[in-house]
């Protein structure tokens, strides 16, 4: 965070707007040119104060929101299952074979689950095709009924 929670531009603009607003009444009756300058400067400065304040609030919201999203991502990544294996300096051939067997078993399980998913997708695609065929049949039936009604009206 910067000075005054990054609202330094708002504070400086606000101070200048307060000074201009305070100086306006004493110079109100002097010259029309000075009065015109104050009529233009005071609302513009208050508008700048509002703009600075809104833009800083927007920037704060955007950075806090993205930071919370990053924290959520980090939390979701830490919730996933991690495997930590301490690797000794010397590994026996039997240990390598054992680890290789475990990994191949996990790979086989993953392959079988993927095959199940593929078969399920294929089954659902077949059901969709069947439903499309049924819809086409029903539309043909209704069209045939409409044609029968029209032919009976003509007779």
């Amino acid at each position: 965070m910067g000075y005054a929670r990054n609202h330094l531009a708002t504070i400086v603009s606000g101070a200048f707007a307060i000074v201009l607003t305070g100086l306006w009444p004493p110079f109100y009756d002097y010259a029309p040119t000075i009065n015109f300058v104050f009529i233009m400067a005071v609302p513009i400065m208050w508008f700048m104060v509002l703009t600075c304040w809104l833009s800083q609030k927007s920037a704060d919201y955007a950075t806090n929101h993205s930071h919370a999203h990053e924290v959520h991502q980090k939390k979701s990544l830490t919730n996933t299952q991690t495997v930590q294996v301490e690797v000794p300096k010397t590994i026996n051939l039997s240990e390598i074979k054992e680890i290789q067997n475990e990994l191949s078993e996990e790979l086989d399980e993953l392959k079988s689950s993927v095959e199940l998913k593929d078969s399920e997708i294929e089954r659902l695609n077949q059901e969709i095709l069947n439903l499309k065929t049924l819809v086409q049949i029903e539309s043909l039936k209704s069209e045939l009924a409409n044609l029968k009604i029209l032919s009976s009206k003509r007779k």
Side-chain angles (χ1 to χ4, degrees):
M1 270 290 151
Y3 296 108
R5 293 188 173 171
N6 289 334
H7 284 282
L8 195 57
T10 307
I11 292 170
V12 171
S13 300
F16 189 60
I18 290 171
V19 169
L20 281 176
T21 305
L23 287 177
W24 190 4
F27 289 105
Y28 187 73
D29 293 328
Y30 277 100
T33 308
I34 292 176
N35 193 27
F36 178 73
V37 168
F38 277 108
I39 287 173
M40 295 302 290
V42 171
I44 290 172
M45 275 313 297
W46 283 112
F47 177 75
M48 283 192 54
V49 170
L50 179 68
T51 304
C52 288
W53 182 77
L54 283 175
S55 64
Q56 187 57 48
K57 283 295 184 182
S58 173
D60 290 345
Y61 176 77
T63 55
N64 288 341
H65 184 68
S66 65
H67 177 68
H69 182 66
E70 289 172 6
V71 169
H72 178 68
Q73 280 183 340
K74 287 179 183 176
K75 285 182 181 179
S76 65
L77 288 176
T78 57
N79 289 342
T80 60
Q81 199 175 27
T82 58
V83 178
Q84 293 180 349
V85 178
E86 292 182 20
V87 179
K89 292 184 179 178
T90 58
I91 299 177
N92 297 336
L93 185 60
S94 62
E95 291 175 352
I96 292 175
K97 291 288 184 184
E98 182 180 322
I99 292 172
Q100 190 177 20
N101 288 336
E102 290 175 7
L103 291 175
S104 64
E105 287 174 6
E106 288 181 23
L107 183 62
D108 290 339
E109 289 175 12
L110 287 174
K111 283 181 181 178
S112 65
S113 67
V114 168
E115 288 172 0
L116 289 175
K117 300 285 186 204
D118 286 344
S119 64
E120 182 69 18
I121 289 172
E122 185 61 37
R123 186 186 64 78
L124 290 173
N125 282 337
Q126 187 61 39
E127 283 186 30
I128 289 170
L129 287 174
N130 291 341
L131 288 173
K132 284 182 181 178
T133 305
L134 288 175
V135 167
Q136 289 172 350
I137 290 171
E138 289 299 320
S139 68
L140 287 173
K141 284 181 181 178
S142 64
E143 193 173 326
L144 183 61
N146 287 338
L147 288 174
K148 285 181 181 178
I149 291 172
L150 285 175
S151 68
S152 68
K153 285 183 180 177
R154 285 187 183 171
K155 291 181 180 178

